Amino acid sequence: MATTGGDRQPKYQRIANTLREAIQAGEYVPGDRLPGENDLMATHGVARMTARQALGVLQNEGIAESRKGAGVFVRAFRPLRRRGIQRLSREQWGAGRSIWSADIEDRTLVVDQVAVTEEPAPERIARVLDIAPDDAVCVRSRRFVLDGKPVLLATSYLPASLVAGSAITQEDTGPGGTYARLGELGAKPVHFREEVRSRMPSQDEANRLSLSMGTPVILICRTAFADEGRPVEVNEMTLDSASYVLEYDFDA
Amino acid sequence: MATTGGDRQPKYQRIANTLREAIQAGEYVPGDRLPGENDLMATHGVARMTARQALGVLQNEGIAESRKGAGVFVRAFRPLRRRGIQRLSREQWGAGRSIWSADIEDRTLVVDQVAVTEEPAPERIARVLDIAPDDAVCVRSRRFVLDGKPVLLATSYLPASLVAGSAITQEDTGPGGTYARLGELGAKPVHFREEVRSRMPSQDEANRLSLSMGTPVILICRTAFADEGRPVEVNEMTLDSASYVLEYDFDA
């Protein structure tokens, strides 16, 4: 694609266009370091602020990302694969494995923050769980880290009346996790709904997931249903979009 | 959340913070018009460029969006619901309805651009379709518009040797669409895989989908398999993330 309207564009845009075209032409491949501010100042005869703005454009577009003290690099996409359906199959969590273990293939996903509280149900959660607003819910908040990088925030809500006294109210839910415990409580999940959307992160989400500029988040709201369509858990997940591919496999 | 580090931040950031906090506090609700450049110049005693940058921050964050000639508004999220699994069930397309009709609930999704060509298979497509690179594929490119706003780009690839002479190579594939025709060719899809990710759009995608600033795209790569795991179609979809919620329903 040629640089159109070049003369009417601000200088930093024209420099950004040049770099973008070089990336699209394969002159810089994912992981390559782009010319730095000093390089761009010398090559294009511009001020530092102009060079910085040009690199900022590519970062906002998600094409490049800054690494502290090392420069700006062409973004690589090497995601985790999250299998929505097989992941939740009874074979997996029924056998005492965490539902997360299928996510990680040969890399290690670790919970580095966990908090379990009891709170009045937020209105949107009460609606999905079919309980009265302000009925108590058990809230399990976790952050998952891959190779030291936070990739996922997950907050589960379960009716407090259902899970009271079980290991679900503890940080460590035991073998098989929350779903195995729900089974012991007579509320085995048999059906799931996942709703998926994407948007730019809030400042708080960007901080907690260490997102670089130009990185959206994927939101998954998963509802687990026991027999007779009874909702027993809502899990709101916020994923670093640069770290994830979601996969759903199903028959016609 | 208080404005932290306020004094060290540039003025436009502090103004953006003030507006963001007002939005979070509910002083402006989705669809409300934010103060314009002139308002911000008067209220904060800043230059037009500073006011414009402040509004730009909120647009980049996806919190607000500009409407030409009307101002900058708090973004509302009123999406289409795309049901990945029921949508593709045989009951729907087997009965002569388009697979898209379940998407639209009470709004009308229209194809406003369609192109059908025969081309050598791109390498990534050949790999998934299990054909030789450069084997011919039938390429069906469509743009879908909702209420005059483009929301989805979809490009399907099918082996040319499979679909030659069928209505799949025509703009109008007939009742039941591509999948009904595949059934008549003895290649009825019985299994689907959808891979979902998100990123910021390219300039071309942003133009074709009329995306406002701070709007990611959702990418869905759907593969349709006939009996014995034979891949018969790859459909690469690019969705306006502000227009869609994806839903996947499945049993444990």
Side-chain angles (χ1 to χ4, degrees), chain B residues 29-72:
Chain B
V29 300
D32 277 1
R33 187 179 175 282
L34 291 174
E37 290 174 12
N38 290 333
D39 302 318
L40 294 176
M41 288 162 68
T43 312
H44 297 274
V46 296
R48 181 170 303 279
M49 187 51 66
T50 305
R52 187 171 300 168
Q53 283 181 301
L55 292 169
V57 166
L58 300 180
Q59 291 173 66
N60 259 323
E61 292 177 357
I63 297 173
E65 61 184 343
S66 164
R67 297 182 203 152
K68 229 169 224 165
V72 175

Side-chain angles (χ1 to χ4, degrees), chain A residues 191-192 196 198 248 250-251, chain B residues 191-192 194 196 198 246 250-251:
Chain A
H191 186 77
F192 297 93
V196 180
S198 172
Y248 295 94
F250 47 93
D251 293 327
Chain B
H191 187 78
F192 298 92
E194 294 200 349
V196 180
S198 172
L246 315 182
F250 47 94
D251 292 327

Side-chain angles (χ1 to χ4, degrees), chain B residues 30-221:
Chain B
D32 277 1
R33 187 179 175 282
L34 291 174
E37 290 174 12
N38 290 333
D39 302 318
L40 294 176
M41 288 162 68
T43 312
H44 297 274
V46 296
R48 181 170 303 279
M49 187 51 66
T50 305
R52 187 171 300 168
Q53 283 181 301
L55 292 169
V57 166
L58 300 180
Q59 291 173 66
N60 259 323
E61 292 177 357
I63 297 173
E65 61 184 343
S66 164
R67 297 182 203 152
K68 229 169 224 165
V72 175
F73 294 78
V74 181
R75 187 193 283 266
F77 182 57
R78 300 194 312 114
L80 283 172
R81 178 168 295 266
R82 176 184 183 276
R83 295 197 175 81
I85 293 172
Q86 292 143 327
R87 199 176 55 80
L88 288 165
S89 72
R90 245 167 303 186
E91 294 125 64
Q92 285 185 42
W93 52 265
R97 281 191 280 159
S98 157
I99 56 159
W100 295 109
S101 57
D103 276 13
I104 55 175
E105 302 188 343
D106 56 347
R107 296 191 276 173
T108 309
L109 204 59
V110 171
V111 174
D112 77 332
Q113 296 178 357
V114 57
V116 186
T117 57
E118 191 173 304
E119 297 174 24
E123 195 265 337
R124 70 185 185 288
I125 301 294
R127 201 171 51 234
V128 177
L129 286 179
D130 199 16
I131 60 178
D134 294 339
D135 270 10
V137 282
C138 171
V139 183
R140 302 183 49 82
S141 299
R142 289 150 296 162
R143 185 173 80 164
F144 293 80
V145 173
L146 174 76
D147 300 338
K149 160 80 181 67
V151 293
L152 166 65
L153 310 173
T155 305
S156 282
Y157 300 86
L158 305 101
S161 58
L162 172 64
V163 301
S166 79
I168 292 172
T169 64
Q170 307 299 312
E171 289 197 2
D172 181 357
T173 52
T178 294
Y179 291 157
R181 298 295 87 67
L182 283 173
E184 293 158 7
L185 294 166
K188 182 163 64 175
V190 295
H191 187 78
F192 298 92
R193 182 179 64 209
E194 294 200 349
E195 295 168 276
V196 180
R197 57 171 290 211
S198 172
R199 59 162 168 72
M200 292 310 283
S202 69
Q203 286 188 313
D204 180 55
E205 290 165 339
N207 291 340
R208 291 196 66 200
L209 289 171
S210 302
L211 299 177
S212 52
M213 279 170 70
T215 310
V217 285
I218 298 173
L219 307 181
I220 304 178
C221 178

